[in-house]
Amino acid sequence: MTHEDPWLRRFQPAPEAPVRLVCLPHAGGSASFYFPVARALAPAMDVLAVQYPGRQDRRHEPGITRLDELADRITEALLPWADRPLALFGHSMGGLLGYEVAARLEDAGTAPAALFASARRAPSRHREESVHLRSDAGVIAELKLLDGTDSGMLMDEELLEMILPALRSDYEAIETYRHRPRPPLSTPLVVLTGDDDPQVTADEAQAWSAHTSVDFSLHTFKGGHFYLTRHQNEVLDIIRRTVAKECVAQPVG
């Protein structure tokens, strides 16, 4: 099964895998962030990494500044891949997008096997933020606070010129998002967070429990917003165990 779609990257195809894991990047991030995940999980899982417009090979496309539109477009791209169970993993902005995509997949009759929401507060827990309205220096200051960008890149004016437009459009999408009350998902929900993340308090992480009517679990790691770079093996083990549990009774094909 092959699909040509600018929204999805398949770094390590695993066509015989019983489940597909869809990975959604953080603000300013790209599909390549998940290359190590695809390599680690193949051939047990077929990993699809989402590529937002405005970066890497899509850098000449304008960024999308409304999260609902992003979720609509990603869902459209994923439906042809729903011949087997889909699980969703999203980090930061990707966690919020994962929630909105999961809701759309459920509406389309393709409920995900699981949703993994990493380093993101519950959709119903809004904070007033305006990073997208800051100067370039202000956006860079936010990157330094979250400690997820290589410090050398932050000193490279040419690289910054390339990534700042996408970053700004992503922040606008997050910061203008408002959760619309809806029934809880019927998708199992796994929340992962760092204990020193300035973007997510323990209470804001626990609040995700109200957004599913089925299984919920919360895993807290030592670290900040990008805790997962230090805890990759533990995170991958949680994904493996959860997917094995949730997909055991689901038919393939």
Side-chain angles (χ1 to χ4, degrees), residues 67-68 95-101 103-104 120-128 173-185 189 207-208 210-212:
L67 194 122
D68 283 338
L96 189 56
L97 262 175
Y99 167 76
E100 288 292 339
V101 170
R104 285 158 172 77
R120 183 68 197 178
R121 55 191 174 271
S124 53
R125 292 301 184 93
H126 177 69
R127 293 188 191 182
E128 286 295 334
I174 300 167
E175 293 170 348
T176 58
Y177 171 83
R178 297 295 183 272
H179 178 253
R180 296 187 303 275
R182 62 161 64 96
L185 298 175
L189 180 54
W208 275 101
H211 292 281
T212 181

Side-chain angles (χ1 to χ4, degrees), residues 183-204:
L185 298 175
S186 58
T187 298
L189 180 54
V190 179
V191 174
L192 308 101
T193 188
D195 64 359
D196 195 31
D197 186 346
Q199 291 294 313
V200 189
T201 66
D203 181 64
E204 288 171 329

Side-chain angles (χ1 to χ4, degrees), residues 39-122:
R39 185 172 54 190
L41 294 179
M45 296 183 210
D46 193 15
V47 175
L48 304 176
V50 174
Q51 185 78 303
Y52 310 138
R55 65 218 69 204
Q56 292 188 334
D57 55 328
R58 302 188 71 185
R59 65 185 179 277
H60 298 302
E61 300 178 46
I64 294 177
T65 59
R66 293 294 177 265
L67 194 122
D68 283 338
E69 182 182 349
L70 269 171
D72 288 343
R73 300 290 297 278
I74 292 166
T75 303
E76 290 171 4
L78 289 177
L79 285 173
W81 294 92
D83 60 315
R84 61 196 62 201
L86 297 173
L88 307 175
F89 181 98
H91 183 72
S92 193
M93 180 178 92
L96 189 56
L97 262 175
Y99 167 76
E100 288 292 339
V101 170
R104 285 158 172 77
L105 289 172
E106 287 189 6
D107 290 344
T110 308
L115 168 61
F116 301 89
S118 169
R120 183 68 197 178
R121 55 191 174 271

